[in-house]
Amino acid sequence: KVRDCPRTPSQPPPDPALLEMLRRFDLSWEYGPCTGITRLQRWERAQELGLSPPGPIRDALLEHQDNPDVTYRWVWSGMGA
Amino acid sequence: MFSEQAAPTAQGLLAPPLAEPPTFPRVPVLGYSDCSQPFQLGERSFSRQYAHIYAVRLAGMRPGLEQRAQSRWGNDIVLRKLSELQAGEKCCIVGTLFKAMQLQPSILQEISEEHNLVPQPPLPKYIQPSDELILEDELQRIKLEGAIDVQKLVTGTILAVYGSEQDDGKFLVEDLCFADLPPPLPWTGPSSDRFVLLASGLGLGSVSGEALLSTQLLVDVVTGQLGAEGEQSCAAHITRVILAGNLLSQNTQSRDTINKAKYLTKKTQAASVEAVKMLDEILLQLCTSVPVDVMPGEFDPTNYTLPQQPLHHCMLPLASAYTTLRLVTNPYQANLDGVRFLGTSGQNISDIFKYSSMDDYLEILEWTLLAGHISPTAPDTLGCYPFYKSDPFILTECPHVYFCGNAPHFQSKLLQGKEGQQVLLVTVPDFSATQTACLVNLRDLTCQPITFSGFGTDSED
């Protein structure tokens, strides 16, 4: 049986420090609610409202675009957004 | 408009027809641009909660309100967040209002087993003397009391209050202010008389056919098939017709067929099908002669939540062939011949009516303009799409004409603002009940009603 498309193996898993930084971004109340939207959408919304979200967060989000642990907010296991 | 110019030429109706009947070309459209892009939804994802729309509403209106508060109460007033409040200190707080109402219909109460209650019937107003106002910001909420009209205000309004926190934890309000009129738009209106006809609540598909005669008279006047040369030349100055919602009657919404067995309802057609066919024919007559903008309303076949999306053109095959037909959103915003129009089909105003002590539709319309938001009660008591990026109902520019459809009577008022804003407020009456439409003169922002009653009293002007 042949696989349809091989998974790109190039991306290394993001390190826990990055995930911790993203988690803190989620829980900062200044940028509004974090459920139901991707972290990038939340970052861009904060930017447009003039709240100056930190730039490294956006770089990290764009770098790990295909990793769902990075793009979506941190969820407790089993609970959706 | 019609009466003054028509009377001298009325004799023409008694004379034999001319060999070459005079024709009156309609005034051309000077400029039109649709500004309703914020109300057009692309992807529709309902998996979000409504916390986002409240958060962006507060974040979007907070800077403007803080500026207004400083200009009103002095530049040296203390602006505090609720978490920074100190008892007894006079300060100003900005937040979202929440009105705790005992009579507000609550789905949780209805399905709660311990209450065992019959769901309460719909009431015209849900206000009670025991209602309380609570101000919420990003983190906390606090009860408000003092110089604030609890009955008049509604949930979802963003405002700034000045006062101090009491020992019992409530905030004593001494003064409050809203976002006030948004900044004015430059005036580029026409220099000669041009009219826009506003009508709403055509109510097609209702059981009684009385309104059909009035609707046909309306169409005939606009297309220049009624009256002598005077009236026809006047009608040629109408550059656009805006139908503000409720083209179909509430009767078309009957849902009896849902409860019946399938075999009984197989051959029955939905009431709205016949009504939409009638609408198509009426729009066809109008579109051959004048540009028409059709906004959906509460009883029209489109989505329920605000902003309502345009009716689909496949429902109006005859009229869609003409480019003069524009199917637009509710709320609708556009530049017509240099004049900015903004209006809704009335759901926002009637919802505020239910939850506020204000009785007058014009008063509520003016209040929404001064509060800086088209529909503050959405999404609390009025269905709304869960926006997350920005709240499109915040008023950022002051329109020249601000209207709402399906009002009980015709009313209009010219509002002057401190920064040179000039807004014509119009409550467009329900045509099926009042047989009245409105003519707005774009040159000088005046508005007059035009009534098409069947018999008896004076019909026009």
Side-chain angles (χ1 to χ4, degrees):
Chain A
K1 204 172 164 189
V2 180
R3 283 179 187 267
D4 321 352
C5 53
R7 204 174 273 264
T8 48
S10 52
Q11 296 279 350
D15 67 314
L18 171 67
L19 289 177
E20 182 58 37
M21 179 178 75
L22 291 173
R23 204 171 294 166
R24 255 182 281 128
F25 173 65
D26 283 340
L27 296 176
S28 325
W29 61 268
E30 300 95 1
Y31 309 121
C34 63
T35 57
I37 52 175
T38 63
R39 282 175 171 143
L40 190 59
Q41 284 174 324
R42 184 161 177 261
W43 194 96
E44 278 167 1
R45 173 180 77 188
Q47 178 81 318
E48 279 170 32
L49 288 171
L51 303 168
S52 341
I57 303 254
R58 183 163 187 268
D59 300 333
L61 290 173
L62 288 174
E63 200 189 310
H64 297 272
Q65 248 176 3
D66 17 321
N67 188 335
D69 289 331
V70 172
T71 49
Y72 278 90
R73 83 159 188 122
W74 155 67
V75 291
W76 289 286
S77 53
M79 269 175 65
Chain B
M1 164 181 102
F2 282 93
S3 305
E4 308 99 52
Q5 301 193 341
T9 62
Q11 292 304 308
L13 286 175
L14 299 175
L18 302 166
E20 282 274 341
T23 55
F24 302 95
R26 195 176 292 283
V27 287
V29 173
L30 279 180
Y32 171 80
S33 69
D34 188 4
C35 310
S36 309
Q37 286 79 25
F39 304 121
Q40 284 157 359
L41 303 170
E43 57 95 29
R44 277 172 243 193
S45 159
F46 282 86
S47 61
R48 279 190 288 271
Q49 300 201 347
Y50 286 116
H52 295 277
I53 189 173
Y54 281 116
V56 289
R57 190 183 291 180
L58 181 58
M61 293 183 71
R62 182 186 274 277
L65 264 166
E66 288 179 347
Q67 248 185 347
R68 280 272 304 137
Q70 283 175 328
S71 69
R72 188 180 166 118
W73 299 313
N75 279 323
D76 50 350
I77 53 153
V78 185
L79 290 166
R80 288 245 183 265
K81 290 234 163 42
L82 285 180
S83 48
E84 304 160 354
L85 277 183
Q86 295 163 21
E89 182 200 20
K90 287 221 193 296
C91 59
C92 161
I93 48 178
V94 175
T96 317
L97 211 57
F98 176 74
K99 187 149 99 167
M101 307 174 76
Q102 196 184 21
L103 288 182
Q104 182 174 352
S106 161
I107 187 69
L108 295 175
Q109 268 188 340
E110 282 181 24
I111 62 176
S112 157
E113 281 162 2
E114 38 186 73
H115 285 260
N116 234 7
L117 289 174
V118 181
Q120 88 178 17
L123 296 169
K125 275 196 182 296
Y126 293 99
I127 54 178
Q128 278 246 286
S130 61
D131 295 337
E132 288 181 327
L133 281 180
I134 297 163
L135 192 73
E136 293 187 6
D137 71 0
E138 294 91 348
L139 293 175
Q140 291 187 358
R141 48 166 31 198
I142 192 166
K143 269 203 195 137
L144 296 178
E145 55 186 16
I148 191 163
D149 191 346
V150 180
Q151 300 300 312
K152 182 175 173 188
L153 297 172
V154 288
T155 302
T157 320
I158 311 282
L159 77 167
V161 288
Y162 183 70
S164 54
E165 187 188 2
Q166 304 299 293
D167 294 326
D168 59 358
K170 298 192 194 167
F171 192 86
L172 186 65
V173 177
E174 291 171 26
D175 198 9
L176 57 105
C177 84
F178 298 103
D180 211 5
L181 291 178
L185 280 171
W187 174 257
T188 51
S191 47
S192 58
D193 274 351
R194 289 166 160 263
F195 295 89
V196 169
L197 184 83
L198 288 169
S200 80
L202 293 182
L204 300 169
S206 66
V207 178
S208 78
E210 284 171 14
L212 279 180
L213 171 65
S214 315
T215 315
Q216 192 57 52
L217 285 175
L218 173 74
V219 172
D220 287 342
V221 161
V222 173
T223 54
Q225 290 171 34
L226 263 192
E229 292 174 22
E231 273 123 357
Q232 290 178 27
S233 70
C234 286
H237 286 93
I238 298 179
T239 61
R240 200 165 210 96
V241 173
I242 299 180
L243 297 175
N246 282 353
L247 310 149
L248 266 49
S249 150
Q250 190 175 16
N251 295 330
T252 59
Q253 298 236 305
S254 83
R255 311 191 66 172
D256 304 331
T257 48
I258 290 184
N259 298 327
K260 290 202 190 127
K262 261 295 199 239
Y263 72 93
L264 288 169
T265 59
K266 212 165 184 179
K267 292 279 177 66
T268 53
Q269 209 181 45
S272 48
V273 174
E274 205 44 58
V276 171
K277 276 200 212 146
M278 266 196 279
L279 176 68
D280 197 18
E281 284 161 9
I282 289 178
L283 284 178
L284 174 68
Q285 293 176 50
L286 276 176
C287 289
T288 52
S289 168
V290 66
V292 184
D293 295 340
V294 181
M295 293 166 61
E298 192 183 346
F299 307 127
D300 294 324
T302 183
N303 60 315
Y304 162 72
T305 52
L306 284 189
Q308 284 183 300
Q309 298 304 288
L311 298 173
H312 202 282
H313 63 87
C314 71
M315 288 194 286
L316 307 165
L318 298 170
S320 300
Y322 291 86
T323 55
T324 45
L325 178 73
R326 282 196 68 93
L327 298 166
V328 294
T329 55
N330 168 30
Y332 174 49
Q333 184 169 233
N335 278 335
L336 308 180
D337 295 348
V339 178
R340 172 70 70 96
F341 273 69
L342 171 62
T344 64
S345 300
Q347 292 109 315
N348 54 333
I349 308 295
S350 54
D351 199 60
I352 296 175
F353 176 85
K354 280 192 263 187
Y355 295 97
S356 160
S357 59
M358 293 188 276
D359 281 324
D360 188 28
Y361 270 55
L362 190 70
E363 185 191 350
I364 298 176
L365 191 65
E366 186 180 347
W367 181 82
T368 58
L369 194 58
L370 295 173
H373 199 275
I374 299 175
S375 178
T377 53
D380 186 42
T381 44
L382 186 61
C384 177
Y385 177 75
F387 292 101
Y388 80 93
K389 217 160 188 202
S390 64
D391 185 351
F393 301 113
I394 299 176
L395 288 161
T396 48
E397 296 164 317
C398 196
H400 296 122
V401 179
Y402 184 46
F403 65 90
C404 86
N406 298 296
H409 325 281
F410 164 76
Q411 283 171 296
S412 80
K413 176 176 172 179
L414 193 60
L415 194 65
Q416 308 276 359
K418 284 192 276 276
E419 295 166 25
Q421 300 101 332
Q422 237 197 358
V423 195
L424 174 68
L425 302 170
V426 185
T427 57
V428 186
D430 184 17
F431 193 82
S432 57
T434 60
Q435 285 87 48
T436 308
C438 317
L439 276 168
V440 176
N441 189 344
L442 298 180
R443 180 180 57 84
D444 55 4
L445 285 187
T446 53
C447 183
Q448 51 185 190
I450 179 166
T451 311
F452 300 89
S453 41
F455 330 90
T457 50
D458 240 19
S459 7
E460 292 188 359
D461 244 10

